[in-house]
Amino acid sequence: MENRENIQHKSVINWYPGHMEKARRQMQENLKLVDLVIELRDARAPLASANPLIERLIGEKKRLLVLTKKDMADPIVLDKWLAYFKTQGIYVLAVNAGHDDLKRLIPKVAKEICKDKLERAKARGIRKKVLRAMVCGIPNVGKSTFINAIVKKRVAKVENRPGVTRSLTWIKLDEDLELLDTPGVLWPKFEDQDAAKKLVLIGSIKDEVVNKDSVVDHALDILRVYYPDTLKERYHISVIDEDDRILLKDIAKAMNFYKSGDEVDILRTQDFILSDIRNDNLKAISLERPDE
Ligand code: G4P
């Protein structure tokens, strides 16, 4: 019989301490083999979508931070994030995997980041140093999509299962660079409640882990402050109430979401808002900003 841990009904798993420990161990093993770590985070929430121990895990290794799904993020806020990470000395890029030419871009940037290492190898007489890189990130940040886009063919679908050992396969991207075909799946932040709500909104942790009321309230608070016009237009309301309960009722009425008679359907309204955010129906919404 298949191990229960390995049965996966949704793409996002529940993480237990055992999962995290396996993921951490596997990441440490794979790190020994690479020159560069390509860490993916969601451009809409670049802090919340970081693994809590990522800095410690990566240590002294070279890192490229890639903010994925840039097409779903607010472009003004995204620019601020790029500047924020650059001032911290982090090599950062924002990408739209469906649009950008990652096959060309990523090897170029990888070699730029590892320039010192290549030069040192050359000075030691190693004529052809082949760089090795791996991709890592929490569930749903776009790891499989990213690898497929670089490789320009479908590699095995990466499951969000931590610590599933497979033999290592290196994909040759060009003469100087190889990529591990399987990304490191890292656990998301759970302890930080604010981050956990954002992670539910971007689909990196399951709805059940965080109370739905609090997730939708969090989304409404962001929309109220930063995207009031979008909020009004999408849900056909003219006034945005300060109280989330009242605002939800107003949206339910305006959208004609009723249970029976004149009782509004709050659950349906909440699911509708959640789905809108996950599917980018509100267009380019960022969930956190560096100047907050
Ligand atoms: P993972 O391996 O890190 O878990 O993530 P995965 O690549 O499976 O991507 C998760 C979802 O994010 C996928 O959508 C994928 O298409 C989408 N995605 C990845 N990169 C981008 C991007 O740059 N822009 C946009 N807009 N979406 C991106 P899905 O609905 O779960 O699956 P599907 O539509 O691919 O079937």
Side-chain angles (χ1 to χ4, degrees):
M1 203 178 84
E2 199 177 352
N3 181 339
R4 268 201 73 78
E5 268 188 8
N6 291 341
I7 299 172
Q8 210 191 344
H9 301 289
K10 276 186 166 187
S11 63
V12 180
I13 62 142
N14 276 327
W15 289 83
Y16 297 103
H19 289 137
M20 297 183 200
E21 180 51 25
K22 271 190 201 165
R24 191 186 59 75
R25 265 207 316 267
Q26 196 165 47
M27 180 82 184
Q28 278 173 338
E29 284 306 307
N30 290 346
L31 273 170
K32 289 181 197 155
L33 308 171
V34 301
D35 303 289
L36 174 72
V37 178
I38 304 176
E39 183 203 352
L40 306 194
R41 299 191 197 173
D42 191 306
R44 293 166 293 174
L47 292 189
S49 61
N51 168 272
L53 293 184
I54 194 75
E55 311 287 340
R56 242 197 284 164
L57 280 172
I58 293 180
E60 295 299 305
K61 289 278 172 192
K62 297 276 186 195
R63 165 169 51 157
L64 168 61
L65 175 60
V66 175
L67 305 183
T68 57
K69 311 189 189 186
K70 77 169 179 202
D71 50 308
M72 297 172 93
D74 180 332
I76 296 169
V77 180
L78 182 55
D79 278 347
K80 289 186 185 169
W81 278 118
L82 292 173
Y84 168 89
F85 288 116
K86 277 178 195 154
T87 58
Q88 297 194 348
I90 296 172
Y91 220 116
V92 63
L93 285 178
V95 303
N96 168 2
H99 178 270
D100 298 339
D101 185 358
L102 299 182
K103 194 176 164 57
R104 189 192 58 81
L105 180 66
I106 298 302
K108 184 170 153 265
V109 176
K111 279 180 250 180
E112 173 64 30
I113 295 175
C114 297
K115 207 166 63 191
D116 292 0
K117 197 156 193 169
L118 289 172
E119 277 166 11
R120 274 203 308 276
K122 209 167 154 192
R124 287 207 310 269
I126 304 167
R127 280 233 312 269
K128 210 68 205 150
K129 158 87 184 153
V130 176
L131 292 172
R132 283 186 154 179
M134 72 173 288
V135 170
C136 71
I138 65 165
N140 213 43
V141 288
K143 297 179 296 299
S144 319
T145 312
F146 181 83
I147 293 179
N148 287 334
I150 304 182
V151 176
K152 273 271 168 69
K153 66 171 191 196
R154 265 204 93 65
V155 291
K157 164 77 188 148
V158 184
E159 294 181 50
N160 283 320
R161 283 189 286 159
V164 178
T165 315
R166 270 181 42 181
S167 58
L168 299 180
T169 307
W170 297 92
I171 308 169
K172 207 170 158 65
L173 296 182
D174 64 20
E175 287 307 307
D176 312 306
L177 183 64
E178 289 180 349
L179 180 75
L180 188 59
D181 80 333
T182 318
V185 182
L186 299 174
W187 64 98
K189 290 179 183 171
F190 293 108
E191 283 76 18
D192 175 347
Q193 278 301 302
D194 226 39
K197 289 175 203 164
K198 295 180 204 300
L199 292 173
V200 173
L201 291 170
I202 62 169
S204 287
I205 60 180
K206 282 188 177 185
D207 299 22
E208 301 99 80
V209 179
V210 185
N211 169 281
K212 191 184 281 186
D213 285 344
S214 71
V215 172
V216 176
D217 287 355
H218 188 66
L220 288 176
D221 291 344
I222 292 168
L223 293 172
R224 184 189 284 110
V225 174
Y226 297 107
Y227 307 101
D229 294 338
T230 307
L231 188 54
K232 285 182 186 166
E233 275 163 38
R234 174 69 178 161
Y235 303 117
H236 311 299
I237 51 171
S238 50
V239 177
I240 303 173
D241 202 283
E242 283 303 309
D243 184 314
D244 289 335
R245 302 294 98 208
I246 298 174
L247 179 55
L248 267 178
K249 274 190 190 154
D250 289 345
I251 294 174
K253 284 181 199 159
M255 300 298 287
N256 214 11
F257 291 161
Y258 286 94
K259 272 186 188 164
S260 59
D262 56 4
E263 192 190 347
V264 287
D265 193 339
I266 293 300
L267 205 57
R268 182 173 168 203
T269 312
Q270 289 176 318
D271 286 338
F272 193 81
I273 296 168
L274 277 181
S275 149
D276 266 355
I277 292 190
R278 290 210 181 119
N279 298 319
D280 198 30
N281 293 337
L282 301 173
K283 296 287 170 241
I285 298 293
S286 283
L287 302 175
E288 60 187 358
R289 40 206 82 220
D291 42 14
E292 265 173 344

